[in-house]
Amino acid sequence: MENSNLRTTLFVKKIAMFKEYTDAIRLCTSIPSSKKSILYTSLIYSRFSVFTDASWCNGKAGIAVILVNHEDNTWFYTSKCVSSPSALDAETQAILYGLSWASKLNWKDIVMFSDCQVAISAFAKNVCIPNWRTTHHSYAILDIVKSFSFCNFWPNIGPFTSQRAREEKARQARERIALRVLPSINCTEQLGTRTNGHHHNPRTTSKMPELPEVEAARRAIQENCLGKKIKKSVVADDSIVIDGVSASEFEAALLGKTIVAAHRKGKNLWLQLDSPPFPSFQFGMAGAIYIKGVAVTKYKRSAVKEDDQWPSKYSKVFVELDGGMEFSFTDKRRFAKVRLLKDPASVPPISELGPDALLEPMTDDELVASLSKKKKVAIKALLLTQSFISGIGNWIADEVLYQARIHPEQPAATLSRECCATLNKCIKEVIEKAVEVGADSSQFPSNWIFHSREKKPGEAFIDGNQIEFITSRGRTTAFVPELQKEIGNHAANKVSKQRKQSTRGKGNRDGNADNNVDEPEADEDNNAEATKGKKGRKPQGQRSKKETDGKPSKAGKSRKKKVLSNQKSKKKSK
């Protein structure tokens, strides 16, 4: 089976799963509050959702996962092919795959969606699926579930549809996904290909192209391709990557043109030809430039083997120059964007970028002024914002913050002038060093935290200090707590909040042990404050005074009776 067919199959599944997610949200928000299901409560009070699905036929299956981060309205999609003895086993593997990703991303409260009723019913009760072929997957799933603070299982199709409707929707999905193409998949080959090209360890963010990698590509083109005429061009018929222009129009626009210069801003590169329009490359997660016979820095997620066909099957734009020189822009994951523009620097996305971290460094005064305006934004989140400063990605942000001894969640506006000057210096030093060695990580200084980013939590150390991994704004973050400490009022407020929570938890445990409730009103106030903290929404079943017409609830009456009985018993004992 051709890769394009597999890609189409899994892309259709992605659309179907994401539609189920939006339908679930629409369904929950359209029904009266008194009838809102536990699904609604789960979606509202969890920060993350995981959608899984599988297509099975003749011992082989394609499994797909969508992970949704409700905090910043982002989502991530991944898929692969597996060997599977049954459709039930395939669905179970998909659930395990989705939970594994959620665990790697350090998500703690999730809602898991799957259209496999047998699996969902079993895992919701914390038991294994009653099928011996899936037992080992079931145990693995239940083990992972224990690591979450909240994990609710729910069917994809929704809680209000009949069994007949479920069966009909499942039948339509099978037809839509075209299961008949799956038997021709070579699962072993696909597993190897998909793992190398389409999956990544969220902690190993150096696999993505950032400013040093894109600059290395620009310099390679500048050194080898300037002044040469384009004799031939082959552009992939891929409307996801090739944006806003057909492949034939793109090829015609390049043919016969001479490459005059290569430019870069942030993680974007464009070629200046002797006349417009100019090709522009937004590298995305796995975009890469390869020049035949020339060593260009490779990063793991884009790596194309040297013994593979040339140009690569992942090539999106292939160019042959006079003199025999050839280069290709490849993208395995199809998150890159290639455009044909008259003036790339004057239109989005390049026109919306902030100053380039290498070419347009801020002065200390400019950085202090810019940070002072961002009162509630964590410093790492701000560094990753390309409209603030362009070119800094996840690993560079972690590196400069470690070198500057700044906690990644420290509010940007609370940094002193001295800290800002140190941060500015570290940004310059880290980026210049990475560019100097052509983004070759083996030549990075040994005292960089970069070299320990791929290690497991608890096993990562630098200079004897342990590295911890947290999730900051949906991105895995490596830092050293011993050296990068939160400071100022922000740190004091955080410590105070943690103490209150621990004291409150201890008080609740003591109260349960004594079975005495001396101050029920205080507990209700605490619950009300916790509820207001979640965007003003109330949990299912909680009613306001207006809804109860001023009458106390049954739960409130029972609590008051307990208090009175306890008080009477104390008086008698005295």
Side-chain angles (χ1 to χ4, degrees):
M1 177 181 162
E2 295 181 359
N3 289 330
S4 58
N5 291 337
L6 174 64
R7 190 181 300 122
T8 302
T9 298
L10 294 174
F11 184 69
V12 169
K13 183 170 284 296
K14 175 177 71 172
I15 294 172
M17 291 195 322
F18 205 72
K19 185 177 185 300
E20 286 169 345
Y21 161 66
T22 54
D23 287 346
I25 294 292
R26 192 180 300 112
L27 173 66
C28 290
T29 54
S30 64
I31 59 178
S33 59
S34 60
K35 297 182 180 179
K36 284 179 179 175
S37 65
I38 195 170
L39 170 62
Y40 175 82
T41 306
S42 300
L43 285 171
I44 293 301
Y45 291 103
S46 66
R47 295 178 295 168
F48 309 103
S49 296
V50 181
F51 291 78
T52 66
D53 208 347
S55 299
W56 177 88
C57 188
N58 295 345
K60 300 170 184 178
I63 61 176
V65 174
I66 285 181
L67 300 106
V68 183
N69 185 338
H70 301 291
E71 287 188 320
D72 55 8
N73 295 322
T74 59
W75 59 280
F76 170 68
Y77 167 74
T78 183
S79 59
K80 68 177 181 179
C81 293
V82 296
S83 297
S84 178
S86 66
L88 178 59
D89 178 83
E91 294 285 0
T92 309
Q93 288 195 55
I95 294 173
L96 178 59
Y97 190 46
L99 288 174
S100 299
W101 267 102
S103 179
K104 289 178 182 178
L105 291 167
N106 293 325
W107 291 359
K108 296 300 181 184
D109 51 309
I110 67 170
V111 182
M112 166 62 69
F113 293 88
S114 171
D115 57 9
C116 182
Q117 295 292 322
V118 175
I120 289 297
S121 300
F123 298 138
K125 298 174 183 177
N126 200 33
V127 296
C128 291
I129 297 175
N131 183 297
W132 66 270
R133 287 186 172 183
T134 63
T135 301
H136 59 296
H137 294 316
S138 296
Y139 279 121
I141 288 171
L142 294 177
D143 284 341
I144 293 179
V145 168
K146 293 177 183 177
S147 66
F148 300 115
S149 59
F150 173 82
C151 182
N152 196 1
F153 290 88
W154 200 262
N156 270 346
I157 300 175
F160 303 108
T161 53
S162 64
Q163 181 64 26
R164 180 178 296 179
R166 292 175 190 273
E167 293 174 354
E168 176 61 18
K169 188 164 183 177
R171 184 190 64 78
Q172 293 175 358
R174 284 194 294 271
E175 291 180 354
R176 182 174 64 246
I177 295 167
L179 287 177
R180 62 182 179 275
V181 304
L182 284 174
S184 59
I185 299 175
N186 183 331
C187 285
T188 304
E189 179 184 351
Q190 288 297 332
L191 271 172
T193 302
R194 308 295 285 189
T195 300
N196 291 336
H198 282 255
H199 300 328
H200 70 286
N201 182 342
R203 193 169 289 114
T204 315
T205 50
S206 60
K207 293 181 181 179
M208 289 177 59
E210 299 186 21
L211 187 153
E213 289 82 6
V214 181
E215 176 64 17
R218 186 199 70 80
R219 293 186 178 187
I221 289 178
Q222 182 171 286
E223 292 170 6
N224 296 279
C225 303
L226 293 194
K228 296 181 179 179
K229 183 177 290 187
I230 299 174
K231 291 175 55 179
K232 177 183 177 182
S233 66
V234 179
V235 179
D237 187 12
D238 185 348
S239 59
I240 294 178
V241 177
I242 309 300
D243 188 20
V245 62
S246 67
S248 58
E249 291 174 336
F250 206 123
E251 292 170 356
L254 297 182
L255 197 61
K257 300 287 184 68
T258 300
I259 299 176
V260 176
H263 303 281
R264 180 198 57 79
K265 185 167 186 178
K267 305 173 190 179
N268 295 263
L269 179 148
W270 69 98
L271 303 181
Q272 181 179 344
L273 307 179
D274 52 3
S275 64
F278 308 139
S280 171
F281 305 92
Q282 188 175 357
F283 279 54
M285 297 180 75
I289 292 286
Y290 288 91
I291 302 177
K292 191 174 184 180
V294 177
V296 182
T297 299
K298 299 178 182 178
Y299 31 97
K300 296 176 184 177
R301 193 175 290 164
S302 71
V304 174
K305 296 179 181 179
E306 293 183 359
D307 56 354
D308 284 352
Q309 66 185 52
W310 177 264
S312 165
K313 59 185 177 181
Y314 302 109
S315 175
K316 302 305 175 184
V317 177
F318 168 75
V319 171
E320 181 182 345
L321 306 172
D322 56 3
M325 182 65 70
E326 298 175 356
F327 73 87
S328 170
F329 178 81
T330 68
D331 180 25
K332 282 186 172 184
R333 300 196 64 188
R334 304 174 77 210
F335 284 107
K337 291 292 181 184
V338 180
R339 302 176 177 92
L340 197 62
L341 304 170
K342 290 184 178 180
D343 185 6
S346 66
V347 295
I350 298 174
S351 64
E352 297 175 345
L353 297 176
D356 186 85
L358 176 67
L359 305 176
E360 305 164 300
M362 295 185 189
T363 64
D364 292 349
D365 291 336
E366 289 172 341
L367 184 60
V368 170
S370 298
L371 295 182
S372 64
K373 300 175 183 177
K374 311 294 182 180
K375 294 184 178 180
K376 296 183 179 180
V377 183
I379 183 61
K380 179 178 178 181
L382 188 60
L383 291 177
L384 293 177
T385 304
Q386 298 301 298
S387 59
F388 176 76
I389 184 169
S390 59
I392 295 181
N394 206 29
W395 80 259
I396 294 180
D398 283 353
E399 192 62 57
V400 299
L401 290 174
Y402 168 69
Q403 298 296 333
R405 304 299 191 255
I406 298 173
H407 194 285
E409 293 189 335
Q410 182 73 32
T414 64
L415 294 178
S416 65
R417 182 179 182 82
E418 183 181 356
C419 286
C420 290
T422 304
L423 175 62
N424 207 18
K425 177 184 176 184
C426 292
I427 291 174
K428 182 179 180 182
E429 289 177 350
V430 168
I431 290 180
E432 286 183 351
K433 182 60 179 178
V435 170
E436 178 187 335
V437 299
D440 182 357
S441 59
S442 65
Q443 299 184 52
F444 289 171
S446 59
N447 65 340
W448 280 16
I449 197 174
F450 174 91
H451 300 291
S452 300
R453 292 180 56 82
E454 297 188 28
K455 297 179 181 178
K456 296 179 180 179
E459 300 178 5
F461 292 85
I462 180 168
D463 295 335
N465 296 309
Q466 185 170 0
I467 299 171
E468 288 190 8
F469 298 94
I470 60 173
T471 301
S472 178
R473 296 295 182 92
R475 303 297 300 275
T476 300
T477 299
F479 76 109
V480 179
E482 188 66 26
L483 303 176
Q484 298 170 258
K485 297 181 179 180
E486 293 179 274
I487 57 175
N489 294 333
H490 171 72
N493 293 338
K494 199 169 184 179
V495 171
S496 176
K497 187 176 180 180
Q498 290 173 350
R499 286 177 179 172
K500 286 181 180 179
Q501 290 175 348
S502 62
T503 304
R504 187 180 302 167
K506 183 179 179 181
N508 289 339
R509 288 193 296 272
D510 294 343
N512 291 334
D514 297 337
N515 199 22
N516 291 328
V517 186
D518 294 330
E519 297 180 359
E521 291 82 3
D523 290 339
E524 290 174 2
D525 290 342
N526 289 337
N527 290 336
E529 288 176 6
T531 303
K532 289 179 181 178
K534 295 184 178 182
K535 299 184 181 179
R537 293 188 287 257
K538 298 179 181 178
Q540 183 181 357
Q542 185 173 330
R543 299 179 295 173
S544 64
K545 290 183 179 180
K546 290 182 179 180
E547 291 172 328
T548 57
D549 297 326
K551 298 178 181 179
S553 64
K554 291 182 180 180
K557 288 180 179 179
S558 63
R559 283 195 293 270
K560 287 183 179 180
K561 286 181 180 179
K562 278 188 178 182
V563 174
L564 291 173
S565 64
N566 288 333
Q567 290 174 350
K568 287 179 181 179
S569 62
K570 286 180 181 179
K571 288 179 181 179
K572 288 180 181 179
S573 62
K574 289 179 180 179

